């Protein structure tokens, strides 16, 4: 059975020595209680819960899965008890306002919690994770009355929530939503329609489930400009907060999936279900992106979660499994063969996993600081502050979601490869990690959708390249500061070249798109992956710089820890960053080789 040990040393290194979270928290209006001792206590308690409660349920939950009987979903054995412990521990409201019963901690602490719970058991984490998105949407867009009614039990964890967005005909194109919302004399609405792929749409963990639903008013304009957003509770809520009658929303079935089998993915039927509008009429899609940004960063966490879990177990196996002798000579002459960790190709796989997990963690923690400022803008009713940080986070979000989930999936597959044939066997848990990781590149917008969002919307349309210029300025600043440092010069020089090239490639694609609109779509995947490799390179160089300084001056960790950081950074620049060059070449090719072949010529009957 796979095991999980929370990587607290690496987390503390990033929090305290690389990204200076103590200073960051000190500058937040809701950060005064997030002092280093409190943060450390939270991390240690969460780690204990994840290692002892959630991780042991991961394999058994995959084997048992969820089952449905007449609309009632039963989660795997142990999940209800684990969730009760999660809720009673106050974990759901960790980063939500005290006025609703939360602990009022910065949003980033909730993200650290989600990383650990998600690595230990991603299926379990889906249940409270979807509720967090619903809570954030309600908190920002609902009326004070609705917030007062729904937020306290959600923050307490007594209720959970979902987002009911897509439908059978939609996919990602939510402009095709058909669910209808009929206004009622009392100000409520009656919703009728079908929603699919609804994670945690029905379960036995809580007494109520609060669905956030996209639907159309009778006079709504077509397309994305005619969609509104509604709260639809599973069980109707009385004015005093008590539960009333069962509402007209139910699960018609659950999906039989490749992975995350302990997470109930439901088809939801709405039949005159009572709902309450949040946000403005016909502006539901805009409000929904509050949830989408949260969800996409949360899905990026899945990328590093599966890389971390696969790496931990592959590393343990590689130290024990013996096969052949190392090419450079016997490493363990007293044994029948050398451990496979002494083979260079196995080290390539392990170091790729390590580089992705630790490099991706740094990327997400950096973005989490942006998210803290963004959420503070919401809490403080400072729209200008919110929009400023939302824009900055918005540029990073598709890179995090698209690149890290692709790399997390690669890392999960590498873990299977380290195990060889044993990796294909269910009992070892490695193939489950790969199956669970597969969905991360699909939901909350496929990698292709993230790529179009990054290049088409964030870079070309919204900022005309400014977003790239601003972020590469940060990279350039690092390069200038370290160019004369003998130990860091190669990182600085490489980053300077890639930062300049990133801007040149952006301009080339922009100019090519004037004559060939298909270029944007053709280049987008390569642009996203290039952006991801260069962004991760910056954060590996940053970690190497801090580790080098701590080796010379002393730090919180051992010299071996810092040396491992420097060695992993060297591996990343030598073996993974060069992949960006191939993406650079491909993104500037004309779209003809993609688009010229007639549709009928793809296959012949």
């Amino acid at each position: 059975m796979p095991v999980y040990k929370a990587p607290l040393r690496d987390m503390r290194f990033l929090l305290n020595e690389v990204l200076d979270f103590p200073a960051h928290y000190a500058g937040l209006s809701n950060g005064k209680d997030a002092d280093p001792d409190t943060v450390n206590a939270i991390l240690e308690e969460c780690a204990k819960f994840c290692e002892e409660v959630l991780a042991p349920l991961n394999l058994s939950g995959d084997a048992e899965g969820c089952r449905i009987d007449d609309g009632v979903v039963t989660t795997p054995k142990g999940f209800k008890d684990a969730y009760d412990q999660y809720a009673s521990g106050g974990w759901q409201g960790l980063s939500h306002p005290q006025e609703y019963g939360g602990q009022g901690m910065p949003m980033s602490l909730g993200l650290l919690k989600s990383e650990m719970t998600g690595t230990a058991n991603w299926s379990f984490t889906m249940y409270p994770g979807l509720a967090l998105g619903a809570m954030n949407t309600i908190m920002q867009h609902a009326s004070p009355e609705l917030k007062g009614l729904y937020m306290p039990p959600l923050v307490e964890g007594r209720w959970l929530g979902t987002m009911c967005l897509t439908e059978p005909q939609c996919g990602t194109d939510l402009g095709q939503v058909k669910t209808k919302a009929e206004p009622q004399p009392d100000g409520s609405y009656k919703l009728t329609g079908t929603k699919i792929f609804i994670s945690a749409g029905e379960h036995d963990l809580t007494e109520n489930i609060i669905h956030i639903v996209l639907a159309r008013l009778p006079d709504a304009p077509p397309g994305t400009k005619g969609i509104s957003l509604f709260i639809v509770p599973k069980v109707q809520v009385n004015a005093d907060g008590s539960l009333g009658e069962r509402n007209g929303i139910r699960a018609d079935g659950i999906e039989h999936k490749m992975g995350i089998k302990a997470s109930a993915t439901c088809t939801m039927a709405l039949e005159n279900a009572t709902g309450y509008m949040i946000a403005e009429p016909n502006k539901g899609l805009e409000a929904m992106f509050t949830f989408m940004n949260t969800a996409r960063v949360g899905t990026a966490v899945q990328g590093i979660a599966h890389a971390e879990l696969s790496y931990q177990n592959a590393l343990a196996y590689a130290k024990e499994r013996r096969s052949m002798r190392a090419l450079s000579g016997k490493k363990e002459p007293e044994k029948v063969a050398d451990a496979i960790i002494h083979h260079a190709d196995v080290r390539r796989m392990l170091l790729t996993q390590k580089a992705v997990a630790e490099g991706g963690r740094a990327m997400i923690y950096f973005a989490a600081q942006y998210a803290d400022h963004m959420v503070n803008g919401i809490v403080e009713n400072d729209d200008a502050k919110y929009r400023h940080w939302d824009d900055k986070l918005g540029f990073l979000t598709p890179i995090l979601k698209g690149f890290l989930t692709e790399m997390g999936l690669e890392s999960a597959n590498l873990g299977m490869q380290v195990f060889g044939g044993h990796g294909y066997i269910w009992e070892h848990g490695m193939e489950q990690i790969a199956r669970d990781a597969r969905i991360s590149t699909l939901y909350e917008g496929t990698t292709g959708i993230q790529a179009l969002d990054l290049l088409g919307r964030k870079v070309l349309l919204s900022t005309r390249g400014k977003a790239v210029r601003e972020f590469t300025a940060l990279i350039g600043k690092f390069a200038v500061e370290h160019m004369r440092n003998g130990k860091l010069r190669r990182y600085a020089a490489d980053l300077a070249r890639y930062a300049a090239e990133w801007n040149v490639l952006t301009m080339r694609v922009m100019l090519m798109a004037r004559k060939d609109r298909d270029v944007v779509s053709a280049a987008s995947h390569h642009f996203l992956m290039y952006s991801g490799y260069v962004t991760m390179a910056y954060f590996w160089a940053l970690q190497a710089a801090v580790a080098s300084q701590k080796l010379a001056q002393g730090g919180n960790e051992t010299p071996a820890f810092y040396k491992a950081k420097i060695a992993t950074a060297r591996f990343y620049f030598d073996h993974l960053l060069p992949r960006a060059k191939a993406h650079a070449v491909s993104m500037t090719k004309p779209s003809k080789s993609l688009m010229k072949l007639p549709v009928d010529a793809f296959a012949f009957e």
Side-chain angles (χ1 to χ4, degrees):
M1 183 176 75
V3 296
Y4 169 63
K5 183 72 175 176
L8 293 178
R9 292 179 69 187
D10 194 57
M11 296 171 75
R12 292 184 184 119
F13 171 66
L14 292 174
L15 293 173
N16 300 322
E17 297 184 320
V18 178
L19 299 174
D20 196 3
F21 267 72
H24 166 71
Y25 285 150
L28 297 176
S29 59
N30 64 340
K32 63 181 185 300
D33 293 330
D35 59 88
D37 288 341
T38 300
V39 170
N40 189 57
I42 290 171
L43 294 180
E44 289 188 348
E45 192 63 28
C46 186
K48 181 180 178 181
F49 173 70
C50 293
E51 293 167 3
E52 298 179 1
V53 179
L54 295 186
L57 296 175
N58 197 31
L59 195 66
S60 62
D62 178 70
E64 184 178 345
C66 295
R67 64 182 187 273
I68 187 169
D69 182 18
D70 193 27
V72 177
V73 171
T74 302
T75 54
K77 182 180 178 180
F79 269 52
K80 178 67 168 68
D81 179 63
Y83 180 77
D84 289 344
Q85 293 183 55
Y86 173 90
S88 64
W91 293 111
Q92 189 70 337
L94 180 65
S95 297
H96 282 81
Q98 294 178 351
E99 65 180 296
Y100 301 123
Q103 299 177 47
M105 289 291 186
M107 181 269 186
S108 55
L109 268 178
L111 197 67
L112 302 183
K113 170 205 69 181
S114 295
E115 180 200 338
M116 285 190 278
T117 61
T119 311
N121 192 323
W122 190 263
S123 288
F124 175 91
T125 303
M126 292 288 288
Y127 294 99
L130 269 294
L132 291 173
M135 290 157 65
N136 291 342
T137 305
I138 292 171
M139 190 170 69
Q140 184 172 358
H141 297 290
S143 67
E145 293 76 17
L146 290 174
K147 284 191 280 191
L149 192 62
Y150 287 96
M151 285 297 292
L154 284 167
V155 170
E156 182 185 346
R158 184 157 44 90
W159 299 350
L160 284 174
T162 76
M163 296 295 286
C164 296
L165 308 181
T166 195
E167 299 175 6
Q169 74 284 354
C170 290
T172 305
D173 185 3
L174 295 175
Q176 298 183 47
V177 162
K178 294 181 179 179
T179 298
K180 297 294 184 183
E182 296 283 348
Q184 303 299 302
D186 64 356
S188 66
Y189 295 80
K190 292 293 186 181
L191 281 73
T192 300
T194 301
K195 297 291 181 177
I196 63 169
F197 301 154
I198 309 306
S199 298
E202 179 60 44
H203 53 75
D204 57 358
L205 303 182
T206 55
E207 63 183 9
N208 205 1
I209 302 172
I210 309 306
H211 304 280
I212 307 299
V213 182
L214 288 180
R216 291 187 182 280
L217 299 173
D219 59 350
T224 57
K225 295 181 179 180
I227 299 175
S228 299
L229 198 60
F230 301 86
I231 291 176
V232 180
K234 169 186 172 180
V235 181
Q236 297 193 41
V237 184
N238 298 319
D240 63 358
S242 63
L243 296 182
E245 298 179 354
R246 177 67 191 260
N247 206 356
I249 181 170
R250 58 172 281 145
D252 266 359
I254 57 176
E255 303 294 342
H256 302 284
K257 308 187 297 291
M258 175 181 179
I260 56 169
K261 294 185 176 183
S263 170
T265 304
C266 303
T267 297
M268 304 299 296
L270 296 95
E271 298 177 2
N272 288 319
T274 299
Y276 306 90
M277 185 182 292
I278 57 176
E280 298 179 37
N282 301 323
K283 292 189 177 180
L285 204 59
E286 180 180 333
M288 184 208 69
F289 274 99
T290 300
F291 163 76
M292 292 306 294
N293 282 334
T294 303
R296 285 172 176 172
V297 174
T299 308
V301 170
Q302 187 175 358
I304 64 168
H306 293 314
E308 177 69 37
L309 186 61
S310 186
Y311 169 64
Q312 287 190 16
N313 287 274
L315 176 61
Y317 184 81
K319 290 179 177 179
E320 297 175 356
R321 178 69 171 177
R322 304 187 184 283
S323 181
M324 301 181 290
R325 294 296 184 184
L327 295 181
S328 57
K330 293 181 180 180
K331 304 300 180 185
E332 299 171 290
E334 74 284 1
K335 303 291 184 180
V336 65
D338 292 330
I340 62 173
I341 197 170
H342 296 296
H343 299 303
D345 187 56
V346 173
R347 289 193 168 220
R348 171 189 63 83
M349 294 186 283
L350 293 171
L351 279 166
T352 298
Q353 293 178 297
K354 179 178 173 65
V356 170
E358 296 177 11
R361 182 174 294 117
M363 292 167 67
I364 287 176
Y365 286 16
F366 175 83
Q369 293 186 337
Y370 283 3
D372 280 339
H373 291 299
M374 183 190 76
V375 172
N376 264 28
I378 297 173
V379 174
E380 297 164 9
N381 292 315
D382 187 337
D383 190 61
K385 180 177 183 179
Y386 162 74
R387 293 190 179 279
H388 170 77
W389 290 103
D390 184 54
D391 286 344
K392 293 178 76 68
L393 180 62
F395 170 69
L396 290 177
T397 296
I399 299 174
L400 296 173
K401 198 283 182 183
F403 177 73
L404 291 182
T405 57
E406 291 287 348
M407 297 303 292
L409 178 59
E410 177 182 339
S411 297
N413 283 320
L414 287 175
M416 286 181 63
Q417 195 75 10
V418 170
F419 271 69
H422 294 286
Y424 201 64
I425 304 302
W426 175 81
E427 288 86 350
H428 294 287
M430 302 305 288
E431 60 87 34
Q432 181 198 342
I433 299 172
R435 286 188 288 105
D436 287 353
R438 189 63 188 89
I439 187 60
S440 65
T441 67
L442 303 175
Y443 59 11
E444 311 306 344
T446 64
T447 304
I449 294 297
Q450 303 303 319
L452 279 173
D453 179 47
L454 174 65
L455 179 57
R457 191 159 73 92
K458 304 291 177 57
V459 173
L460 299 184
L461 291 178
S462 298
T463 69
R464 298 191 63 79
K466 181 181 177 183
V468 174
R469 292 193 296 274
E470 287 184 348
F471 190 74
T472 52
L474 184 68
I475 298 175
K477 182 175 181 291
F478 175 93
V480 170
E481 291 174 351
H482 296 92
M483 194 66 77
R484 295 187 178 183
N485 185 324
K487 295 181 179 179
L488 301 172
R489 185 180 299 119
R490 68 82 47 97
Y491 305 125
D494 282 355
L495 285 175
R497 285 192 292 270
Y498 278 103
E501 184 181 50
W502 196 354
N503 282 282
V504 171
L505 290 168
T506 301
M507 184 59 65
R508 286 186 64 182
V509 172
M510 189 182 302
L511 293 174
M512 291 171 66
R514 291 181 178 180
K515 297 181 179 180
D516 181 3
R517 291 298 179 91
D518 284 324
V519 160
V520 177
S521 181
S524 61
H525 171 81
H526 297 293
F527 187 89
L528 181 143
M529 296 302 290
Y530 179 95
S531 302
Y533 282 117
V534 176
T535 301
M536 186 173 280
Y538 166 68
F539 285 101
W540 265 116
L542 189 61
Q543 291 183 79
V546 172
S548 179
Q549 180 189 40
K550 298 301 180 182
L551 271 176
Q553 302 175 5
N556 298 330
E557 296 296 340
T558 63
F561 177 89
Y562 296 124
K563 289 177 181 178
K565 281 291 179 184
I566 295 170
T568 309
R570 187 180 302 118
F571 167 83
Y572 183 86
F573 273 75
D574 283 350
H575 294 277
L576 297 183
L577 182 57
R579 297 181 182 182
K581 296 177 182 177
H583 290 294
V585 171
S586 292
M587 81 172 73
T588 55
K589 295 298 182 183
S591 69
K592 291 182 180 179
S593 58
L594 283 172
M595 305 306 297
K596 195 171 183 180
L597 184 67
V599 173
D600 291 343
F602 273 83
F604 297 92
E605 296 182 1

